[in-house]
């Protein structure tokens, strides 16, 4: 992935770095990567071509996030509902995942990026599980941008999973019911130890969160765009952040 290696620390000439406040960069940005299929259909291509193009877009987003100093980037890659798609499309997505990790992880590692997976990876094909574990082990000590890839992930199933773990601990007298609060509950989610997203971005024109990080986005700022994911670039990420920086986040209070 020479593009990332050569340009990780070199700002893209077309990107609006001058008008962004680098002292108010969101710590955690979450993105619902949507619109691959429609991007392909618009061009008379198979849906798998859209997914491949989406992988190309991901490179620029990771690079730009690292340049801006974003600490956490969470990407909705494959949901628990995506298993309903045609089998050949699901298989192609899994193969793309394996190919992406196998091809890109060394370059990401050399650029201090840490790969983290959120979701039920036990439900993924063995080949995907192996590449995931390999990427995690290679990058786990890196101190740069942390990329959370949501695979076989659903916000509701995540909450149910956390409740079951809590219930077992209460049943085994390992936890007092009265001690359970938001902080303790958050510690049993896939994102334990990760701050909630400051900004949630969804391209493709859809205006919903689609079961992504339901607990974690309680106070996130939302930014929607009609651009399909394969056409989404670092300059669009920067526009979202510039808009974010104009907002007044009160968390229910008054300023």
């Amino acid at each position: 992935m020479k593009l990332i290696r050569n340009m990780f620390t070199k700002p893209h000439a077309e990107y609006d770095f001058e008008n962004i406040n680098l002292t108010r960069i969101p710590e955690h940005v979450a993105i619902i990567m949507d619109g691959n299929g429609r991007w392909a259909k618009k061009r008379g291509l198979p849906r798998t071509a859209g997914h491949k193009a989406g992988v190309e877009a991901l490179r620029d987003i990771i690079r730009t996030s690292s340049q801006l100093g974003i600490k956490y980037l969470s990407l909705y890659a494959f949901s628990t509902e995506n298993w309903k798609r045609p089998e050949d499309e699901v298989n192609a997505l899994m193969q793309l995942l394996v190919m992406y990790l196998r091809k890109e992880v060394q370059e990401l590692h050399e650029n201090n990026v840490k790969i983290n997976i959120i979701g039920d990876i036990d439900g993924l094909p063995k080949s995907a599980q192996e590449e995931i574990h390999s990427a995690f082990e290679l990058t786990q000590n890196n101190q740069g941008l942390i990329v959370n890839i949501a695979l076989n992930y659903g916000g509701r199933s995540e909450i149910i999973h956390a409740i079951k773990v809590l219930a077992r601990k209460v049943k085994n007298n390992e936890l007092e019911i009265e001690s359970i609060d938001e902080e303790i509950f958050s510690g049993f989610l896939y994102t334990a130890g990760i701050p909630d997203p400051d900004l949630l971005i969804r391209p493709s024109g859809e205006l919903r969160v689609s079961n992504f990080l339901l607990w974690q986005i309680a106070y996130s700022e939302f930014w929607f765009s009609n651009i399909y994911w394969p056409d989404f670039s670092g300059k669009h990420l920067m526009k979202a952040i510039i808009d974010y920086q104009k907002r007044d986040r009160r968390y229910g209070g008054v300023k």
Side-chain angles (χ1 to χ4, degrees), residues 9-254:
T9 58
K10 181 181 178 182
H12 196 293
E14 297 179 359
Y15 293 179
D16 196 9
F17 279 89
E18 292 184 0
N19 291 319
I20 199 165
N21 185 348
L22 295 177
T23 67
R24 294 191 59 227
I25 297 296
E27 182 178 27
H28 185 176
V29 174
I31 303 178
I32 300 173
M33 302 185 295
D34 190 27
N36 293 345
R38 280 166 286 171
W39 180 92
K41 182 179 180 181
K42 185 177 179 180
R43 290 160 175 76
L45 301 171
R47 290 177 59 86
T48 52
H51 296 311
K52 290 179 180 178
V55 169
E56 296 299 319
L58 182 56
R59 292 190 176 100
D60 192 31
I61 297 304
I62 292 177
R63 178 193 65 187
T64 306
S65 296
S66 180
Q67 290 174 342
L68 289 172
I70 294 170
K71 294 183 179 178
Y72 301 89
L73 177 66
S74 293
L75 304 166
Y76 205 6
F78 190 87
S79 75
T80 50
E81 289 77 24
N82 286 155
W83 294 108
K84 300 174 185 177
R85 294 186 177 188
E87 184 177 356
D88 59 343
E89 182 176 352
V90 171
N91 290 338
L93 282 167
M94 292 298 131
Q95 291 171 8
L96 267 177
L97 169 63
V98 171
M99 290 173 59
Y100 174 79
L101 291 175
R102 190 172 293 166
K103 180 181 178 182
E104 314 286 3
V105 68
Q106 185 60 42
E107 296 286 352
L108 293 173
H109 175 55
E110 292 174 6
N111 284 289
N112 207 26
V113 173
K114 178 178 178 178
I115 299 296
N116 186 43
I117 305 296
I118 58 176
D120 180 15
I121 63 172
D122 290 339
L124 299 175
K126 185 177 179 180
S127 59
Q129 292 185 44
E130 291 174 349
E131 290 300 329
I132 287 168
H133 289 304
S134 177
F136 175 78
E137 290 176 4
L138 178 64
T139 65
Q140 62 177 321
N141 294 320
N142 290 345
Q143 302 297 313
L145 173 68
I146 297 175
V147 178
N148 302 308
I149 305 176
L151 292 166
N152 198 21
Y153 174 90
R156 289 182 174 179
S157 63
E158 177 186 30
I159 291 171
I160 294 298
H161 175 266
I163 291 172
K164 289 180 178 178
V165 175
L166 279 168
R168 282 194 290 268
K169 287 189 173 295
V170 171
K171 181 180 179 181
N172 295 332
N173 296 316
E174 299 174 26
L175 187 66
E176 294 287 339
I177 291 179
E178 291 75 14
S179 69
I180 300 174
D181 56 16
E182 291 184 10
E183 183 178 358
I184 287 178
F185 183 79
S186 295
F188 290 95
L189 297 173
Y190 293 129
T191 54
I194 299 172
D196 293 339
D198 301 291
L199 175 63
L200 173 70
I201 296 171
R202 179 164 191 166
S204 85
E206 303 294 352
L207 304 176
R208 55 179 178 268
V209 298
S210 295
N211 201 20
F212 187 42
L213 301 175
L214 297 181
W215 173 274
Q216 297 89 336
I217 61 173
Y219 282 100
S220 300
E221 296 292 327
F222 291 2
W223 194 85
F224 298 103
S225 169
N226 291 324
I227 300 167
Y228 294 139
W229 173 249
D231 291 329
F232 197 87
S233 68
K235 66 181 179 181
H236 302 113
L237 173 62
M238 295 184 71
K239 184 178 187 305
I241 292 175
I242 290 171
D243 287 348
Y244 162 87
Q245 292 178 342
K246 297 175 182 177
R247 301 182 188 181
D248 183 14
R249 306 185 75 200
R250 297 185 298 275
Y251 299 95
V254 177

